[in-house]
Amino acid sequence: MLLLVATCVVAFVLLLYMLSPLISPKPLVLPGAHVVVTGGSSGIGKCIAIECYKQGAFITLVARNEDRLLQAKKEIEKYSINDKQVVLCISVDVSQDYSQVENVIKQAQEKLGPVDMLVNCAGMSLSGKFEDLEVRTFEVKPYNVYVTVAYPPDTDTPGFAEENKTKPLETRLISETTSICTPEQVAKQIVKDAIQGNFNSSIGSDGYMLSSLTCGMAPVTSITEGLQQVVTMGLFRMLSLFYLGSFDNIIRRCMLERTKYETADKTA
């Protein structure tokens, strides 16, 4: 039995080794690269733009508010490492007419060249109970385009502050079980993973555990990453059960408190 397990592990390692040339992207060289950041006027988007600019990239910032864009542009330009770098600002709502978005991206490419990296940070989280939220509310690898999916934790941004205004008590208490990260920390990790071509980008031990547990059929970019997921999956699943138990207790306590107050209001 032990021999069979060892054989399977060796076979898995050899398979990953044979596939690695196909799944390991070439790292992106940021000096001179053109990086487009939507939602780049504040929060994580702005910090990602700063991190890329520090490494010599040309930046196109895309956001709705023109005044905030110009303010972000001035802040980013302080981190220039050479005289050739440019920060281009484009005021447009990426959630609206696609043809308008397509036109402004074409303008950016005419000025700064083809887009080497696109960072989508536009949007915000609308928190609330499932029943209270309104209803209203692709293969690219053959073209040498790689996707990095980021799992940022709670981050001290304007968007997070807005999110907390409508966040249910249960969600807020669960969020408080982990510390809040700075947008600079999150941006640095996302840029590092993106230029390496990593499919997953996570912050801290909880983020690493979550990305491993949810990897499913996600691609890997190295033999080491694949082996880590295989070896740690069982352990992380066991730890996650303790997390889930803790979260269930929080929800149960909140439910009991809510029921108690509702009963008191009815009898008052």
Side-chain angles (χ1 to χ4, degrees), residues 213-225:
L213 284 170
T214 58
C215 61
M217 290 294 290
V220 294
T221 50
S222 70
I223 296 176
T224 302
E225 181 185 6

Side-chain angles (χ1 to χ4, degrees), residues 16-261:
L16 284 179
Y17 179 77
M18 289 185 292
L19 290 176
S20 60
L22 301 177
I23 59 180
S24 298
K26 183 179 180 180
L28 174 65
V29 179
L30 276 181
H34 180 192
V35 178
V36 176
V37 185
T38 68
S41 62
S42 65
I44 295 175
K46 183 179 72 174
C47 288
I48 287 178
I50 289 175
E51 184 65 28
C52 291
Y53 202 67
K54 285 180 178 179
Q55 299 187 39
F58 291 73
I59 306 295
T60 295
L61 294 178
V62 181
R64 290 176 297 179
N65 191 302
E66 191 169 354
D67 291 336
R68 288 171 63 181
L69 272 172
L70 294 175
Q71 184 177 350
K73 172 183 168 72
K74 292 179 180 178
E75 186 175 344
I76 294 169
E77 287 176 335
K78 296 177 183 177
Y79 298 92
S80 172
I81 63 172
N82 62 65
D83 296 334
K84 295 181 180 180
Q85 283 180 272
V86 176
V87 178
L88 178 65
C89 293
I90 298 177
S91 178
V92 65
D93 188 347
V94 296
S95 67
Q96 301 302 317
D97 185 13
Y98 171 74
S99 61
Q100 186 179 3
V101 177
E102 186 178 26
N103 288 333
V104 296
I105 294 299
K106 285 181 178 178
Q107 294 173 22
Q109 291 187 117
E110 289 172 0
K111 294 180 179 179
L112 301 181
V115 177
D116 296 294
M117 183 164 74
L118 170 64
V119 182
N120 287 310
C121 274
M124 61 177 291
S125 172
L126 181 61
S127 297
K129 295 179 182 177
F130 181 79
E131 65 269 23
D132 294 336
L133 297 176
E134 296 181 15
V135 176
R136 64 176 177 81
T137 29
F138 63 123
E139 179 81 32
V140 295
K141 191 174 289 186
Y143 303 96
N144 200 31
V145 176
Y146 289 86
V147 174
T148 297
V149 181
Y151 305 95
D154 287 345
T155 309
D156 188 15
T157 64
F160 181 68
E162 192 67 27
E163 176 186 327
N164 277 336
K165 293 179 181 179
T166 58
K167 186 176 289 182
L169 176 61
E170 294 92 331
T171 310
R172 191 165 66 249
L173 290 175
I174 290 173
S175 293
E176 289 174 356
T177 59
T178 59
S179 58
I180 297 178
C181 291
T182 67
E184 290 81 8
Q185 289 175 308
V186 175
K188 190 170 184 178
Q189 186 63 46
I190 291 176
V191 170
K192 178 182 177 181
D193 288 323
I195 62 179
Q196 292 297 324
N198 295 334
F199 183 76
N200 288 315
S201 178
S202 59
I203 312 295
S205 56
D206 287 347
Y208 177 71
M209 181 173 71
L210 181 62
S211 65
S212 293
L213 284 170
T214 58
C215 61
M217 290 294 290
V220 294
T221 50
S222 70
I223 296 176
T224 302
E225 181 185 6
L227 286 175
Q228 285 175 340
Q229 291 171 351
V230 171
V231 172
T232 61
M233 185 71 74
L235 174 62
F236 285 167
R237 178 55 179 162
M238 188 179 299
L239 290 174
S240 72
L241 295 177
F242 289 98
Y243 277 80
L244 292 173
S246 174
F247 297 160
D248 286 344
N249 285 332
I250 291 173
I251 295 170
R252 193 175 297 109
R253 289 200 307 270
C254 289
M255 185 65 181
L256 290 173
E257 287 294 318
R258 189 176 297 110
T259 302
K260 184 174 68 176
Y261 284 123

